[in-house]
Each structure stands twice: as structure tokens, then as C-alpha cells.
Amino acid sequence: EAGVAQSPRYKIIEKRQSVAFWCNPISGHATLYWYQQILGQGPKLLIQFQNNGVVDDSQLPKDRFSAERLKGVDSTLKIQPAKLEDSAVYLCASRPTVNTEAFFGQGTRLTVV
Amino acid sequence: GQNIDQPTEMTATEGAIVQINCTYQTSGFNGLFWYQQHAGEAPTFLSYNVLDGLEEKGRFSSFLSRSKGYSYLLLKELQMKDSASYLCAVRETRGYALNFGKGTSLLVTP
């Protein structure tokens, strides 16, 4: 079974530029999460989708971050404009049903300079 | 909202036993997960507790007390490859969101 796919693996941008990350969850997984993990800390939930609907985006900085999952499969996370403090690993995870664990992708390491 | 606390760092000797504690406060508890994360890699699932008690999986065990808001991960017969960050995560009833603590960095020494 293929895992959660994310791209790109690494991205370096200047502050105030825009960036987008892509995630393709495991086939059939209805729930998709985006997390931000700053070096030395645990993952922080940014947004959770159930199929193509948003379940929780309470911690998403909506003035600069946006995410979509239009067809209930793959998802994109965008930052516009980026700030230095956005430097982190952005992890995507998915799970099939409620009482199962979430499976994580390898993440995208973003460096804002 | 949630508040999840774990020690920042721990050190243990190869072959020994180590216990990593996690305390949490949540408005709606729906399960507790432990993940392992090696540097530069994705978190991988270790264990899951939704009822009180001990769950054992090989060298790893996890315990939960819902009334105390407390869990621990027990690692036995430590190996060098167990050096990693261990993340405690609480799932909420609302939307089944999975929220993580800051992680415990475990160093296993010879």
C-alpha cells in the first residue's frame, strides 16, 4: 500500500514570497490533516478535512495560510506571503476511519530567508 | 482546547527500561496515541489507548488513566535505534482532531 505522498521535500523562499505544498493521502482515507512542526517541537494541527469539508481550522493563520481539498482526495496548503517564522516542516497525515491511527507523509521542509 | 505535557529530554542506557510520561487536559477525550519520530523523518505510530489500562506491543507498552489525565509509554530492552522523539497525542471528540504534545527526545547511550 502506498503511503502519504508529499511534495516538494524541500523548499527555500524569501520572506513575502508565496509557496504551495501538495499532499496525496493513502487511497480511501477520508480524513486528512496538515500539521506544522517547528524544529524541536511537536506537530501543531493547522487544518483537518473530512472528505472535502473542513472539520477544524481553528489554528490556521487565515490571513496568510489557506488549504483546500476540492475533490476529497489530494490537498494543497498555501502560504502567502511567507514570514521568517513560517520556517518549519509541514506534515500531511491521513486516516481511513475514526478509530484508527493517522499515517504521516515525509513532510516538506520550508526555509524562509 | 488541550494542554499536553511531556518531559523535554530523557537519557537511558542500552538494555534498560524507560518510562515517558504524558499528562493532558482536554474538553473531550477520545483516545491517546504515542508516535515515534526519528530526526528528519515522519512520525510513526506506536500505540493507542482509549480505555484505562495497559496495552502491550512487544518491547513497547502504553498505559492510560482517564480520570487522572495521564499516560505513559514504557520501552523495555532499550536499543540504540530507540533514540528518537516520542510524541504523545490526544484525540478530541469534536471532529476527532489529533493534537500533539511537544515531544520527548530520548537518547539511548551504550
Side-chain angles (χ1 to χ4, degrees):
Chain A
E1 178 181 75
V4 177
Q6 291 189 245
S7 67
R9 285 297 310 277
Y10 305 93
K11 190 75 176 178
I12 300 174
I13 62 171
E14 296 182 349
K15 59 183 179 184
R16 292 187 289 273
Q17 285 188 322
S18 303
V19 65
F21 313 127
W22 176 81
C23 172
N24 191 12
I26 296 172
S27 178
H29 283 200
T31 302
L32 184 148
Y33 306 93
W34 280 103
Y35 287 89
Q36 179 194 59
Q37 187 172 26
I38 293 171
L39 187 64
Q41 297 186 20
K44 171 189 167 186
L45 179 65
L46 292 176
I47 190 167
Q48 176 187 346
F49 291 95
Q50 181 71 18
N51 296 310
N52 61 349
V54 175
V55 174
D56 185 349
D57 64 356
S58 58
Q59 300 187 87
L60 187 73
K62 298 180 186 66
D63 58 334
R64 298 185 301 107
F65 286 63
S66 64
E68 60 183 15
R69 194 185 184 199
L70 292 176
K71 297 182 179 179
V73 181
D74 56 349
S75 175
T76 55
L77 175 70
K78 297 179 182 178
I79 307 175
Q80 180 180 10
K83 294 184 175 181
L84 296 176
E85 59 260 38
D86 298 332
S87 294
V89 175
Y90 291 84
L91 294 164
C92 178
S94 69
R95 63 168 168 81
T97 61
V98 169
N99 289 318
T100 56
E101 70 270 25
F103 296 84
F104 283 82
Q106 289 288 91
T108 296
R109 182 176 297 276
L110 174 68
T111 302
V112 182
V113 297
Chain B
Q2 295 186 342
N3 187 25
I4 303 170
D5 289 315
Q6 349 177 194
T8 303
E9 295 179 339
M10 298 183 72
T11 302
T13 306
E14 190 176 16
I17 299 173
V18 71
Q19 177 175 314
I20 302 174
N21 296 324
C22 172
T23 58
Y24 64 88
Q25 295 174 312
T26 180
S27 53
F29 177 84
N30 193 260
L32 189 139
F33 294 77
W34 285 95
Y35 279 79
Q36 180 191 60
Q37 186 177 29
H38 285 99
E41 298 184 12
T44 55
F45 169 75
L46 289 177
S47 71
Y48 165 61
N49 297 70
V50 66
L51 300 176
D52 291 352
L54 189 67
E55 293 284 339
E56 297 186 82
K57 291 177 71 173
R59 295 190 300 115
F60 296 84
S61 303
S62 58
F63 172 83
L64 175 67
S65 169
R66 290 171 295 170
S67 62
K68 296 181 179 178
Y70 169 69
S71 174
Y72 67 72
L73 180 70
L74 194 70
L75 292 77
K76 304 175 186 175
E77 301 170 14
L78 281 172
Q79 301 176 9
M80 299 298 289
K81 66 178 181 180
D82 297 329
S83 292
S85 180
Y86 291 85
L87 302 165
C88 172
V90 175
R91 188 173 63 197
E92 291 187 337
T93 50
R94 188 183 83 83
Y96 301 101
L98 192 63
N99 290 292
F100 285 83
K102 293 186 176 182
T104 298
S105 179
L106 173 66
L107 176 65
V108 180
T109 60

